[in-house]
PDB file of all heavy atoms in Angstrom:
ATOM      1  N   PRO A  30       4.848  10.677  16.170  1.00 98.00           N
ATOM      2  CA  PRO A  30       4.809  12.168  16.058  1.00 98.00           C
ATOM      3  C   PRO A  30       4.830  12.730  17.447  1.00 98.00           C
ATOM      4  O   PRO A  30       4.495  12.031  18.429  1.00 98.00           O
ATOM      5  CB  PRO A  30       3.476  12.417  15.386  1.00 98.00           C
ATOM      6  CG  PRO A  30       2.940  11.119  14.906  1.00 98.00           C
ATOM      7  CD  PRO A  30       3.572  10.072  15.770  1.00 98.00           C
ATOM      8  N   ILE A  31       5.224  13.987  17.581  1.00 98.00           N
ATOM      9  CA  ILE A  31       5.041  14.593  18.912  1.00 98.00           C
ATOM     10  C   ILE A  31       3.649  15.261  18.898  1.00 98.00           C
ATOM     11  O   ILE A  31       3.241  15.839  17.900  1.00 98.00           O
ATOM     12  CB  ILE A  31       6.197  15.568  19.273  1.00 98.00           C
ATOM     13  CG1 ILE A  31       6.475  16.551  18.128  1.00 98.00           C
ATOM     14  CG2 ILE A  31       7.445  14.778  19.602  1.00 98.00           C
ATOM     15  CD1 ILE A  31       7.456  17.636  18.543  1.00 98.00           C
ATOM     16  N   PHE A  32       2.982  15.109  20.013  1.00 98.00           N
ATOM     17  CA  PHE A  32       1.540  15.420  20.038  1.00 98.00           C
ATOM     18  C   PHE A  32       1.269  16.851  20.434  1.00 98.00           C
ATOM     19  O   PHE A  32       1.872  17.398  21.344  1.00 98.00           O
ATOM     20  CB  PHE A  32       0.830  14.459  21.005  1.00 98.00           C
ATOM     21  CG  PHE A  32       1.090  13.010  20.642  1.00 98.00           C
ATOM     22  CD1 PHE A  32       2.051  12.251  21.288  1.00 98.00           C
ATOM     23  CD2 PHE A  32       0.386  12.430  19.596  1.00 98.00           C
ATOM     24  CE1 PHE A  32       2.291  10.925  20.942  1.00 98.00           C
ATOM     25  CE2 PHE A  32       0.633  11.114  19.219  1.00 98.00           C
ATOM     26  CZ  PHE A  32       1.588  10.346  19.887  1.00 98.00           C
ATOM     27  N   TYR A  33       0.278  17.472  19.776  1.00 96.00           N
ATOM     28  CA  TYR A  33      -0.128  18.815  20.119  1.00 96.00           C
ATOM     29  C   TYR A  33      -0.797  18.786  21.506  1.00 96.00           C
ATOM     30  O   TYR A  33      -1.543  17.859  21.813  1.00 96.00           O
ATOM     31  CB  TYR A  33      -1.191  19.334  19.154  1.00 96.00           C
ATOM     32  CG  TYR A  33      -0.617  19.774  17.814  1.00 96.00           C
ATOM     33  CD1 TYR A  33      -1.184  19.333  16.623  1.00 96.00           C
ATOM     34  CD2 TYR A  33       0.456  20.652  17.725  1.00 96.00           C
ATOM     35  CE1 TYR A  33      -0.691  19.749  15.390  1.00 96.00           C
ATOM     36  CE2 TYR A  33       0.946  21.091  16.492  1.00 96.00           C
ATOM     37  CZ  TYR A  33       0.382  20.616  15.334  1.00 96.00           C
ATOM     38  OH  TYR A  33       0.857  21.021  14.118  1.00 96.00           O
ATOM     39  N   HIS A  39      -6.285  11.280  22.524  1.00 97.00           N
ATOM     40  CA  HIS A  39      -7.428  10.462  22.101  1.00 97.00           C
ATOM     41  C   HIS A  39      -6.897   9.166  21.499  1.00 97.00           C
ATOM     42  O   HIS A  39      -5.674   8.973  21.370  1.00 97.00           O
ATOM     43  CB  HIS A  39      -8.401  11.202  21.207  1.00 97.00           C
ATOM     44  CG  HIS A  39      -7.855  11.713  19.915  1.00 97.00           C
ATOM     45  ND1 HIS A  39      -7.255  10.890  18.974  1.00 97.00           N
ATOM     46  CD2 HIS A  39      -7.776  12.957  19.396  1.00 97.00           C
ATOM     47  CE1 HIS A  39      -6.892  11.583  17.934  1.00 97.00           C
ATOM     48  NE2 HIS A  39      -7.159  12.866  18.160  1.00 97.00           N
ATOM     49  N   GLY A  41      -6.722   8.043  18.542  1.00 97.00           N
ATOM     50  CA  GLY A  41      -5.914   8.154  17.301  1.00 97.00           C
ATOM     51  C   GLY A  41      -4.451   8.373  17.676  1.00 97.00           C
ATOM     52  O   GLY A  41      -3.552   7.781  17.082  1.00 97.00           O
ATOM     53  N   HIS A  42      -4.205   9.233  18.673  1.00 98.00           N
ATOM     54  CA  HIS A  42      -2.840   9.447  19.139  1.00 98.00           C
ATOM     55  C   HIS A  42      -2.258   8.140  19.666  1.00 98.00           C
ATOM     56  O   HIS A  42      -1.122   7.781  19.369  1.00 98.00           O
ATOM     57  CB  HIS A  42      -2.807  10.486  20.273  1.00 98.00           C
ATOM     58  CG  HIS A  42      -3.368  11.809  19.934  1.00 98.00           C
ATOM     59  ND1 HIS A  42      -4.216  12.483  20.747  1.00 98.00           N
ATOM     60  CD2 HIS A  42      -3.198  12.592  18.845  1.00 98.00           C
ATOM     61  CE1 HIS A  42      -4.568  13.633  20.199  1.00 98.00           C
ATOM     62  NE2 HIS A  42      -3.946  13.723  19.040  1.00 98.00           N
ATOM     63  N   SER A  45      -1.075   5.753  16.873  1.00 98.00           N
ATOM     64  CA  SER A  45       0.268   6.092  16.327  1.00 98.00           C
ATOM     65  C   SER A  45       1.336   5.530  17.234  1.00 98.00           C
ATOM     66  O   SER A  45       2.308   4.918  16.777  1.00 98.00           O
ATOM     67  CB  SER A  45       0.496   7.646  16.303  1.00 98.00           C
ATOM     68  OG  SER A  45      -0.076   8.256  15.192  1.00 98.00           O
ATOM     69  N   ASP A  71       4.386  18.517  21.222  1.00 98.00           N
ATOM     70  CA  ASP A  71       4.614  19.614  20.326  1.00 98.00           C
ATOM     71  C   ASP A  71       3.954  20.838  20.967  1.00 98.00           C
ATOM     72  O   ASP A  71       2.702  20.922  20.955  1.00 98.00           O
ATOM     73  CB  ASP A  71       3.980  19.252  18.972  1.00 98.00           C
ATOM     74  CG  ASP A  71       4.308  20.207  17.861  1.00 98.00           C
ATOM     75  OD1 ASP A  71       4.932  21.238  18.118  1.00 98.00           O
ATOM     76  OD2 ASP A  71       3.938  19.915  16.690  1.00 98.00           O
ATOM     77  N   TRP A 257       6.257  23.929  12.590  1.00 97.00           N
ATOM     78  CA  TRP A 257       6.556  22.605  11.993  1.00 97.00           C
ATOM     79  C   TRP A 257       8.045  22.367  11.861  1.00 97.00           C
ATOM     80  O   TRP A 257       8.513  21.234  12.015  1.00 97.00           O
ATOM     81  CB  TRP A 257       5.839  22.444  10.643  1.00 97.00           C
ATOM     82  CG  TRP A 257       4.526  21.720  10.823  1.00 97.00           C
ATOM     83  CD1 TRP A 257       3.274  22.284  10.809  1.00 97.00           C
ATOM     84  CD2 TRP A 257       4.335  20.337  11.078  1.00 97.00           C
ATOM     85  NE1 TRP A 257       2.327  21.326  11.051  1.00 97.00           N
ATOM     86  CE2 TRP A 257       2.920  20.108  11.192  1.00 97.00           C
ATOM     87  CE3 TRP A 257       5.187  19.258  11.223  1.00 97.00           C
ATOM     88  CZ2 TRP A 257       2.381  18.875  11.437  1.00 97.00           C
ATOM     89  CZ3 TRP A 257       4.622  17.965  11.459  1.00 97.00           C
ATOM     90  CH2 TRP A 257       3.253  17.810  11.578  1.00 97.00           C
ATOM     91  N   ALA A 260       9.024  21.500  15.342  1.00 98.00           N
ATOM     92  CA  ALA A 260       8.576  20.128  15.734  1.00 98.00           C
ATOM     93  C   ALA A 260       9.387  19.046  15.028  1.00 98.00           C
ATOM     94  O   ALA A 260       9.773  18.059  15.681  1.00 98.00           O
ATOM     95  CB  ALA A 260       7.108  19.997  15.404  1.00 98.00           C
ATOM     96  N   LEU A 261       9.615  19.204  13.755  1.00 98.00           N
ATOM     97  CA  LEU A 261      10.318  18.145  13.018  1.00 98.00           C
ATOM     98  C   LEU A 261      11.730  17.934  13.537  1.00 98.00           C
ATOM     99  O   LEU A 261      12.233  16.795  13.573  1.00 98.00           O
ATOM    100  CB  LEU A 261      10.347  18.472  11.516  1.00 98.00           C
ATOM    101  CG  LEU A 261       8.986  18.342  10.795  1.00 98.00           C
ATOM    102  CD1 LEU A 261       8.989  19.070   9.463  1.00 98.00           C
ATOM    103  CD2 LEU A 261       8.607  16.879  10.612  1.00 98.00           C
ATOM    104  N   ASN A 263      12.614  17.703  16.346  1.00 98.00           N
ATOM    105  CA  ASN A 263      12.670  16.835  17.536  1.00 98.00           C
ATOM    106  C   ASN A 263      13.328  15.497  17.224  1.00 98.00           C
ATOM    107  O   ASN A 263      13.945  14.891  18.081  1.00 98.00           O
ATOM    108  CB  ASN A 263      11.254  16.642  18.116  1.00 98.00           C
ATOM    109  CG  ASN A 263      10.567  15.365  17.666  1.00 98.00           C
ATOM    110  OD1 ASN A 263      10.753  14.292  18.238  1.00 98.00           O
ATOM    111  ND2 ASN A 263       9.801  15.461  16.575  1.00 98.00           N
ATOM    112  N   TYR A 264      13.169  15.052  15.967  1.00 98.00           N
ATOM    113  CA  TYR A 264      13.758  13.751  15.578  1.00 98.00           C
ATOM    114  C   TYR A 264      15.281  13.799  15.613  1.00 98.00           C
ATOM    115  O   TYR A 264      15.942  12.751  15.667  1.00 98.00           O
ATOM    116  CB  TYR A 264      13.262  13.330  14.199  1.00 98.00           C
ATOM    117  CG  TYR A 264      11.763  13.206  14.083  1.00 98.00           C
ATOM    118  CD1 TYR A 264      11.062  13.819  13.033  1.00 98.00           C
ATOM    119  CD2 TYR A 264      11.029  12.465  14.997  1.00 98.00           C
ATOM    120  CE1 TYR A 264       9.690  13.702  12.932  1.00 98.00           C
ATOM    121  CE2 TYR A 264       9.631  12.344  14.879  1.00 98.00           C
ATOM    122  CZ  TYR A 264       8.972  12.958  13.861  1.00 98.00           C
ATOM    123  OH  TYR A 264       7.620  12.831  13.749  1.00 98.00           O
ATOM    124  N   VAL A 285       3.772   7.974  11.308  1.00 98.00           N
ATOM    125  CA  VAL A 285       2.970   9.192  11.244  1.00 98.00           C
ATOM    126  C   VAL A 285       1.584   8.903  10.678  1.00 98.00           C
ATOM    127  O   VAL A 285       1.398   7.964   9.879  1.00 98.00           O
ATOM    128  CB  VAL A 285       3.615  10.275  10.367  1.00 98.00           C
ATOM    129  CG1 VAL A 285       4.995  10.646  10.888  1.00 98.00           C
ATOM    130  CG2 VAL A 285       3.724   9.850   8.896  1.00 98.00           C
ATOM    131  N   GLY A 286       0.625   9.744  11.024  1.00 98.00           N
ATOM    132  CA  GLY A 286      -0.709   9.641  10.454  1.00 98.00           C
ATOM    133  C   GLY A 286      -0.723  10.280   9.083  1.00 98.00           C
ATOM    134  O   GLY A 286       0.135  11.118   8.732  1.00 98.00           O
ATOM    135  N   ASP A 288      -2.492  12.521   7.770  1.00 95.00           N
ATOM    136  CA  ASP A 288      -2.708  13.966   7.727  1.00 95.00           C
ATOM    137  C   ASP A 288      -1.411  14.761   7.798  1.00 95.00           C
ATOM    138  O   ASP A 288      -1.382  15.923   7.445  1.00 95.00           O
ATOM    139  CB  ASP A 288      -3.651  14.418   8.877  1.00 95.00           C
ATOM    140  CG  ASP A 288      -3.155  13.951  10.232  1.00 95.00           C
ATOM    141  OD1 ASP A 288      -2.623  12.831  10.340  1.00 95.00           O
ATOM    142  OD2 ASP A 288      -3.259  14.720  11.227  1.00 95.00           O
ATOM    143  N   ILE A 289      -0.335  14.153   8.267  1.00 97.00           N
ATOM    144  CA  ILE A 289       0.923  14.863   8.400  1.00 97.00           C
ATOM    145  C   ILE A 289       1.996  14.282   7.502  1.00 97.00           C
ATOM    146  O   ILE A 289       3.195  14.440   7.758  1.00 97.00           O
ATOM    147  CB  ILE A 289       1.373  14.965   9.877  1.00 97.00           C
ATOM    148  CG1 ILE A 289       1.480  13.567  10.532  1.00 97.00           C
ATOM    149  CG2 ILE A 289       0.428  15.831  10.686  1.00 97.00           C
ATOM    150  CD1 ILE A 289       2.041  13.613  11.947  1.00 97.00           C
ATOM    151  N   HIS A 293       6.219  15.306   6.699  1.00 98.00           N
ATOM    152  CA  HIS A 293       7.280  14.313   6.935  1.00 98.00           C
ATOM    153  C   HIS A 293       7.967  13.827   5.652  1.00 98.00           C
ATOM    154  O   HIS A 293       9.129  13.482   5.660  1.00 98.00           O
ATOM    155  CB  HIS A 293       6.744  13.125   7.694  1.00 98.00           C
ATOM    156  CG  HIS A 293       6.540  13.420   9.152  1.00 98.00           C
ATOM    157  ND1 HIS A 293       5.413  14.053   9.638  1.00 98.00           N
ATOM    158  CD2 HIS A 293       7.339  13.214  10.235  1.00 98.00           C
ATOM    159  CE1 HIS A 293       5.515  14.215  10.939  1.00 98.00           C
ATOM    160  NE2 HIS A 293       6.664  13.711  11.333  1.00 98.00           N
ATOM    161  N   HIS A 315      -0.026   5.706   8.629  1.00 98.00           N
ATOM    162  CA  HIS A 315      -1.267   5.016   8.960  1.00 98.00           C
ATOM    163  C   HIS A 315      -2.446   5.944   8.716  1.00 98.00           C
ATOM    164  O   HIS A 315      -2.314   7.164   8.665  1.00 98.00           O
ATOM    165  CB  HIS A 315      -1.294   4.522  10.398  1.00 98.00           C
ATOM    166  CG  HIS A 315      -1.275   5.588  11.439  1.00 98.00           C
ATOM    167  ND1 HIS A 315      -2.400   6.299  11.786  1.00 98.00           N
ATOM    168  CD2 HIS A 315      -0.256   6.080  12.194  1.00 98.00           C
ATOM    169  CE1 HIS A 315      -2.088   7.188  12.712  1.00 98.00           C
ATOM    170  NE2 HIS A 315      -0.795   7.093  12.994  1.00 98.00           N
ATOM    171  N   SER A 316      -3.616   5.330   8.573  1.00 98.00           N
ATOM    172  CA  SER A 316      -4.832   6.108   8.337  1.00 98.00           C
ATOM    173  C   SER A 316      -5.488   6.458   9.679  1.00 98.00           C
ATOM    174  O   SER A 316      -4.887   6.305  10.713  1.00 98.00           O
ATOM    175  CB  SER A 316      -5.776   5.330   7.422  1.00 98.00           C
ATOM    176  OG  SER A 316      -5.061   5.090   6.236  1.00 98.00           O
ATOM    177  N   HIS A 317      -6.746   6.858   9.611  1.00 97.00           N
ATOM    178  CA  HIS A 317      -7.386   7.382  10.839  1.00 97.00           C
ATOM    179  C   HIS A 317      -8.463   6.456  11.393  1.00 97.00           C
ATOM    180  O   HIS A 317      -9.014   5.638  10.670  1.00 97.00           O
ATOM    181  CB  HIS A 317      -7.983   8.756  10.547  1.00 97.00           C
ATOM    182  CG  HIS A 317      -6.931   9.816  10.568  1.00 97.00           C
ATOM    183  ND1 HIS A 317      -7.223  11.157  10.430  1.00 97.00           N
ATOM    184  CD2 HIS A 317      -5.587   9.760  10.726  1.00 97.00           C
ATOM    185  CE1 HIS A 317      -6.102  11.851  10.504  1.00 97.00           C
ATOM    186  NE2 HIS A 317      -5.113  11.031  10.690  1.00 97.00           N
ATOM    187  N   TRP A 318      -8.749   6.677  12.677  1.00 98.00           N
ATOM    188  CA  TRP A 318      -9.864   5.983  13.307  1.00 98.00           C
ATOM    189  C   TRP A 318     -11.108   6.895  13.218  1.00 98.00           C
ATOM    190  O   TRP A 318     -11.009   8.091  13.545  1.00 98.00           O
ATOM    191  CB  TRP A 318      -9.554   5.673  14.781  1.00 98.00           C
ATOM    192  CG  TRP A 318      -8.661   4.509  14.886  1.00 98.00           C
ATOM    193  CD1 TRP A 318      -7.300   4.518  14.917  1.00 98.00           C
ATOM    194  CD2 TRP A 318      -9.056   3.124  14.878  1.00 98.00           C
ATOM    195  NE1 TRP A 318      -6.802   3.236  14.951  1.00 98.00           N
ATOM    196  CE2 TRP A 318      -7.872   2.355  14.941  1.00 98.00           C
ATOM    197  CE3 TRP A 318     -10.289   2.465  14.860  1.00 98.00           C
ATOM    198  CZ2 TRP A 318      -7.894   0.965  14.953  1.00 98.00           C
ATOM    199  CZ3 TRP A 318     -10.301   1.095  14.878  1.00 98.00           C
ATOM    200  CH2 TRP A 318      -9.116   0.344  14.936  1.00 98.00           C
ATOM    201  N   MET A 325     -13.599  11.694  14.077  1.00 92.00           N
ATOM    202  CA  MET A 325     -13.575  12.080  15.490  1.00 92.00           C
ATOM    203  C   MET A 325     -13.358  13.595  15.574  1.00 92.00           C
ATOM    204  O   MET A 325     -12.397  14.096  14.966  1.00 92.00           O
ATOM    205  CB  MET A 325     -12.396  11.390  16.166  1.00 92.00           C
ATOM    206  CG  MET A 325     -12.774  10.565  17.353  1.00 92.00           C
ATOM    207  SD  MET A 325     -11.377  10.020  18.336  1.00 92.00           S
ATOM    208  CE  MET A 325     -10.237   9.367  17.205  1.00 92.00           C
TER     209      MET A 325
HETATM  210  N1  LIG B   1       2.163  17.910  16.370  1.00 54.84           N
HETATM  211  C1  LIG B   1       1.922  17.313  15.104  1.00 54.84           C
HETATM  212  C2  LIG B   1       2.990  16.293  14.764  1.00 54.84           C
HETATM  213  C3  LIG B   1       4.399  16.819  14.757  1.00 54.84           C
HETATM  214  S1  LIG B   1       5.548  15.546  14.485  1.00 54.84           S
HETATM  215  C4  LIG B   1       6.952  16.356  14.158  1.00 54.84           C
HETATM  216  C5  LIG B   1       0.568  16.616  15.124  1.00 54.84           C
HETATM  217  N2  LIG B   1       0.080  16.293  16.305  1.00 54.84           N
HETATM  218  S2  LIG B   1      -1.353  15.630  16.542  1.00 54.84           S
HETATM  219  O1  LIG B   1      -1.462  15.549  17.988  1.00 54.84           O
HETATM  220  O2  LIG B   1      -2.361  16.384  15.882  1.00 54.84           O
HETATM  221  O3  LIG B   1      -1.352  14.219  15.902  1.00 54.84           O
HETATM  222  C6  LIG B   1      -0.460  13.258  16.296  1.00 54.84           C
HETATM  223  C7  LIG B   1      -0.750  11.949  15.600  1.00 54.84           C
HETATM  224  O4  LIG B   1      -2.053  11.486  15.869  1.00 54.84           O
HETATM  225  C8  LIG B   1      -0.652  12.022  14.070  1.00 54.84           C
HETATM  226  O5  LIG B   1       0.069  10.896  13.589  1.00 54.84           O
HETATM  227  C9  LIG B   1      -2.075  11.971  13.640  1.00 54.84           C
HETATM  228  O6  LIG B   1      -2.219  11.401  12.365  1.00 54.84           O
HETATM  229  C10 LIG B   1      -2.625  11.035  14.697  1.00 54.84           C
HETATM  230  N3  LIG B   1      -4.083  11.143  14.706  1.00 54.84           N
HETATM  231  C11 LIG B   1      -4.854  12.221  14.955  1.00 54.84           C
HETATM  232  N4  LIG B   1      -6.150  11.881  14.782  1.00 54.84           N
HETATM  233  C12 LIG B   1      -6.224  10.565  14.433  1.00 54.84           C
HETATM  234  C13 LIG B   1      -7.268   9.645  14.232  1.00 54.84           C
HETATM  235  N5  LIG B   1      -8.548   9.990  14.293  1.00 54.84           N
HETATM  236  N6  LIG B   1      -6.925   8.371  13.998  1.00 54.84           N
HETATM  237  C14 LIG B   1      -5.622   7.949  13.967  1.00 54.84           C
HETATM  238  N7  LIG B   1      -4.622   8.785  14.155  1.00 54.84           N
HETATM  239  C15 LIG B   1      -4.895  10.111  14.295  1.00 54.84           C
HETATM  240  O7  LIG B   1       0.014  16.351  14.046  1.00 54.84           O
END
Side-chain angles (χ1 to χ4, degrees):
I31 49 171
F32 303 99
Y33 284 131
H39 61 58
H42 301 135
S45 278
D71 188 353
W257 266 103
L261 288 163
N263 96 85
Y264 301 129
V285 301
D288 54 322
I289 54 175
H293 284 83
H315 66 79
S316 301
H317 280 184
W318 283 92
M325 237 191 310

